[in-house]
Amino acid sequence: MSDLSIHSLKEKLEQISIKSLLLPLCGIIIFIMLWQVGASRVHTSLGVFPGPAVVYEQWGNLISEHQSERVKEQRFYERQEDRIAKRQAKDPDYVGKIRSYTGKPTFFDQIFTSLYTVLAGFGLACLIAIPLGILIGLNNAVYSALNPVIQVFKPVSPLAWLPLVTMVVSATYVSDDPIFSKSFLTSMFTVTLCCMWPTLINTAVGVAAVEKDLLNVSKVLRLGWFTHVMKIVIPSAIPLMFTGLRLSLGIAWMVLIAAEMLAQNPGLGKFVWDEFQNGSSNSLGRIMVAVLMIGFIGFLLDRAMLMVQRFVSWDKTQILR
């Protein structure tokens, strides 16, 4: 390759990278400007709707509160350790017990709670939806039997599932020393019931749409059922399967926030509801911080799923967005 062609290729790559950075940046700047103009004209019972500057200020306050709470937690454990050490100095046989810190969860604690809850619910949904979708796609009889059930339960709102799940968990999960809290299980199962359908349906469609040439190759090679599924069916169905997974993960995140708000289970949804009920002058700004964080986390989850798809997909030339 000549120096001229290499130079022109570098210029094109630089233009593409600059364009890919400038366009999103312009979009963000325009959004912030419109947000500021629109917010200043909206007056609520708690004051003017928060603009970007107010939201940034509340973001700083939430960080400070988190740091302050961690300092309190550290001092709480240090006091217990000192008390136990003094007691053991007098009585060497004394065995102290460290009590858990029960302070108010911070904004970042709520983020962590929501994240592991949604990932647990989404993971359980995948364990159910992917094998069942493969079975439905491979067998017309199974499809005919299960399709009515899927179409009935697919549009059910999380607000309808939540009371039922809450009652079932309360009635069946009875333990003096539970591994998981009931609030976690309630949120997780609600997420699972609501987000599994896109993955189930897209997996079934992808499996059913495997090219006939590939099926003929499998027959010629006399592949076993498991080998046929692993080597032929799943690689061919990956594009549609991951379309369903990305949709399911987005739905899971939305459902979780709604479930946490309604059931007052720990997480970002509860944080939003508590701030709304608080009704202070800072509440709107803090709610807006949570809204932006919910959207940003949803974006990161989708990008993470896209990266996984690129890694496992056999067609590396496929354009994924």
Side-chain angles (χ1 to χ4, degrees):
M1 186 179 290
S2 64
D3 293 339
L4 182 61
S5 60
I6 293 175
H7 180 70
S8 61
L9 180 60
K10 287 182 178 179
E11 286 184 346
K12 288 181 180 179
L13 290 175
E14 288 176 357
Q15 290 175 358
I16 292 173
S17 61
I18 292 173
K19 185 178 179 180
S20 62
L21 290 174
L22 284 179
L23 290 178
L25 184 61
C26 290
I28 292 172
I29 291 173
I30 292 172
F31 167 74
I32 291 176
M33 292 173 62
L34 293 174
W35 175 14
Q36 179 61 43
V37 172
S40 62
R41 300 186 178 186
V42 178
H43 296 268
T44 71
S45 59
L46 299 178
V48 180
F49 191 85
V54 175
V55 172
Y56 181 76
E57 178 185 353
Q58 292 305 318
W59 167 256
N61 292 339
L62 290 170
I63 293 176
S64 298
E65 289 176 8
H66 177 75
Q67 294 172 341
S68 175
E69 195 66 26
R70 294 289 76 83
V71 171
K72 290 180 181 178
E73 181 181 6
Q74 183 179 357
R75 291 175 178 172
F76 174 79
Y77 287 115
E78 288 176 351
R79 286 195 300 269
Q80 291 190 79
E81 290 171 357
D82 292 341
R83 186 168 60 251
I84 292 172
K86 290 178 181 178
R87 181 73 180 273
Q88 287 177 341
K90 298 178 180 178
D91 182 7
D93 296 330
Y94 175 74
V95 178
K97 182 179 180 181
I98 301 293
R99 291 179 295 170
S100 299
Y101 183 69
T102 57
K104 180 182 178 182
T106 67
F107 177 67
F108 296 96
D109 294 332
Q110 305 280 37
I111 290 175
F112 176 75
T113 300
S114 291
L115 273 175
Y116 79 72
T117 303
V118 76
L119 291 177
F122 174 71
L124 180 59
C126 292
L127 291 176
I128 298 171
I130 292 176
L132 191 56
I134 293 172
L135 185 62
I136 291 172
L138 291 174
N139 194 308
N140 288 329
V142 176
Y143 167 78
S144 299
L146 294 182
N147 186 53
V149 178
I150 294 171
Q151 299 306 324
V152 166
F153 287 111
K154 181 181 67 174
V156 176
S157 167
L159 303 183
W161 280 120
L162 187 58
L164 297 176
V165 173
T166 302
M167 296 298 292
V168 171
V169 169
S170 298
T172 58
Y173 190 66
V174 180
S175 173
D176 295 331
D177 187 21
I179 300 175
F180 303 106
S181 65
K182 290 184 178 181
S183 60
F184 167 75
L185 294 176
T186 300
S187 297
M188 184 189 73
F189 288 133
T190 304
V191 166
T192 299
L193 288 169
C194 294
C195 80
M196 62 183 289
W197 311 111
T199 298
L200 175 61
I201 293 169
N202 278 273
T203 300
V205 172
V207 169
V210 176
E211 295 181 6
K212 290 185 178 180
D213 291 342
L214 294 174
L215 297 177
N216 291 333
V217 169
S218 178
K219 291 178 180 178
V220 170
L221 296 176
R222 297 182 179 180
L223 299 179
W225 185 87
F226 183 77
T227 306
H228 169 72
V229 170
M230 297 301 296
K231 298 294 184 180
I232 302 295
V233 173
I234 292 180
S236 300
I238 275 179
L240 273 174
M241 188 185 299
F242 268 90
T243 299
L245 286 170
R246 290 174 67 185
L247 289 171
S248 289
L249 188 53
I251 291 172
W253 187 236
M254 289 189 295
V255 165
L256 176 66
I257 302 303
E260 289 171 345
M261 291 182 69
L262 185 64
Q264 287 293 282
N265 291 337
L268 276 173
K270 186 177 187 301
F271 174 86
V272 171
W273 186 254
D274 287 345
E275 288 297 332
F276 174 72
Q277 292 293 326
N278 184 24
S280 70
S281 57
N282 296 328
S283 292
L284 285 179
R286 294 161 76 92
I287 290 173
M288 197 63 199
V289 172
V291 168
L292 293 175
M293 183 57 67
I294 290 167
F296 182 66
I297 291 173
F299 170 76
L300 292 181
L301 291 174
D302 182 73
R303 294 299 96 182
M305 188 59 66
L306 190 62
M307 290 175 62
V308 174
Q309 182 177 0
R310 284 174 178 160
F311 179 76
V312 302
S313 178
W314 60 270
D315 186 3
K316 302 302 181 183
T317 62
Q318 186 181 16
I319 298 175
L320 301 174
R321 295 181 178 176

